[in-house]
Amino acid sequence: MPYTSPRRTLIRASSPPLLLSAGEDILSYILSHLGIPQLARLCICSRALRAAVAVAVEEQLVALSAGPLVARVGEPRLRLLRFVYAQRTVRAERGRVSGGARHTAIVSEGGGLLTFGHGVSGELGVNSTANHARPQRPLASLPVRMVAAGFDFTVVVAATGDVYSFGHGSSGQLGHGDHESRASPAKVAALAGHDIALVSAGGAHAMYVTASGSLLVAGDGRYGQLGLGAVTRATVPTAVATAGRVVDASAGHLHTALITHDGALHTCGDLAGGKLGLAFPADAAHVDHEIAGIARVTTLHRVDADGLRGGVKLVQVSAAVRHTAGCSSDGRYFLCGVYFGSDPTLTFLRKGSAGANTGSAATDTLGTPVPALRDARTRRVLQVVVGAHHAMILTEDGEVYSLMCDEPRPRKRYPQLGQGRADPTRNRPALVIDGSAPLRAALIAAGQNHSVAWHPTPAPPAPGAAAAAAAA
């Protein structure tokens, strides 16, 4: 369900006289429980209430924002509050849609699990290894809260709190204490009693974040991606030491990225290509293991770069094959990895950058929007996800942009971008969903070579909704 404040309809917004006659404390309490449409209507209905509404908006911004927020020139505070609500909705709904290497998993609005695509490893969970071009219904009788699609396996958290997994399991990524693959959902017994709030599935490892912010991992750790301090595998979910409470996490193909409660980015795994964002050479002391010329970081390290200093707090992260991406609490975004080349430094998007660039962590800034993001001064980013070669960007207005993260190959098309048959240009986001109804995206996901955008079923407009939207 989208994030909502409790009991937002305590009073009709079209009845300002009743509010004006209430005491200051009562008025403050009522306004603090109203949503953006109701607050906007009150501003329209009564000038006398505008000051009280402004105070209520500021109080909600302080209480709900994940980090520092700065209004842009001429930006209404209600619009800023709407962004905060949208940001919280993305965090609450982030397990609704997920893309694997060649399959997709979705949780419907009714809690039903849907899977489709490649099924050779049993990743669709329908007791079959066949491919399916139409959605299938594993766990048909069990409501589901969230799902994560890995390379060729799937992890599901049911409404009961039980965790199920199915698909390829040779590295122990299914968490059942063995190396067996499964074509039907099987309950992960080792997670019984854990309150799982977030799951992520990567190339051959899975991550579980509990409601208290603890991290457990299972699967392949031969590149250090489990963060256990050793090149090893874990066939059952195993606790990992972190620098703080984990608020978001993403399992890449051979690496891991997570964000702690203080907004810091931590990574581990395969060091190649700069996807860890760690600006140290392969022979530095940070590299725990180097086998056959492959540098591996087996413990989580905090990413320390100029762009992440000065109070910047990250709230969302996405890891894939050769890249890591994410966005900050104030709606900026970053990409690092094989992007401006293979220099192993954290490389953020730079405003005005149109082509190949060789920026470094010492000079680049955090995710300042490039010109191709239409009207970038008034748009904030809610979510960034990466696939094997591409990235998708979701803005606060329901727009979706796509861009290439690698150098496009001559005469090769990239349908995962959604840009038609146009030749893609690296580091130039192109608008693929304009945010107008009914194509207003609420969530996005990227598989290895495909993309997914989720659009909620539109609710019927309330009386006066158009005027309130204009005011907000």
Side-chain angles (χ1 to χ4, degrees), residues 103 105 115 123-124 147-150 152-156 164-167 174 201:
H103 75 293
T115 60
E123 57 264 60
L124 301 185
V147 65
D152 50 7
F153 69 105
T154 305
V155 180
V156 179
Y164 295 82
S165 62
F166 44 91
L174 300 186

Side-chain angles (χ1 to χ4, degrees), residues 367-410:
T368 44
V370 298
L373 277 178
R374 190 159 50 88
D375 195 14
R377 291 172 299 175
T378 59
R379 278 166 170 75
R380 291 180 172 86
V381 171
L382 290 174
Q383 186 185 11
V384 180
V385 294
V386 285
H389 307 284
H390 74 295
M392 307 294 292
I393 302 169
L394 172 66
T395 73
E396 61 185 326
D397 293 320
E399 299 171 325
V400 176
Y401 293 79
S402 66
L403 70 152
M404 284 297 300
C405 294
D406 296 335
E407 192 68 48
R409 298 178 184 176

Side-chain angles (χ1 to χ4, degrees), residues 63-113:
L64 301 178
S65 61
L69 283 171
V70 178
R72 288 157 185 170
V73 176
E75 181 180 28
R77 302 298 285 178
L78 275 173
R79 179 178 174 87
L80 197 60
L81 183 59
R82 188 182 72 174
F83 166 73
V84 172
Y85 279 135
Q87 199 174 53
R88 293 175 72 93
T89 298
V90 168
R91 291 184 63 185
E93 300 279 5
R94 54 193 165 186
R96 183 179 287 277
V97 57
S98 184
R102 287 174 288 180
H103 75 293
T104 301
I106 296 174
V107 179
S108 71
E109 291 182 327
L113 176 63

Side-chain angles (χ1 to χ4, degrees), residues 102-105 114-138 183:
R102 287 174 288 180
H103 75 293
T104 301
L114 305 173
T115 60
F116 50 92
H118 198 261
V120 171
S121 297
E123 57 264 60
L124 301 185
V126 291
N127 197 28
S128 167
T129 55
N131 300 335
H132 290 276
R134 295 180 180 275
Q136 304 299 299
R137 288 293 306 271

Side-chain angles (χ1 to χ4, degrees), residues 2 7 26 68 101 113 138 154 170 191 205 260 289-290 292 333 414 439:
R7 295 189 60 79
I26 296 176
L113 176 63
T154 305
S170 66
L191 290 173
H205 72 293
T260 48
H289 292 272
E290 187 169 1
Y333 67 102
Y414 295 87
L439 296 180

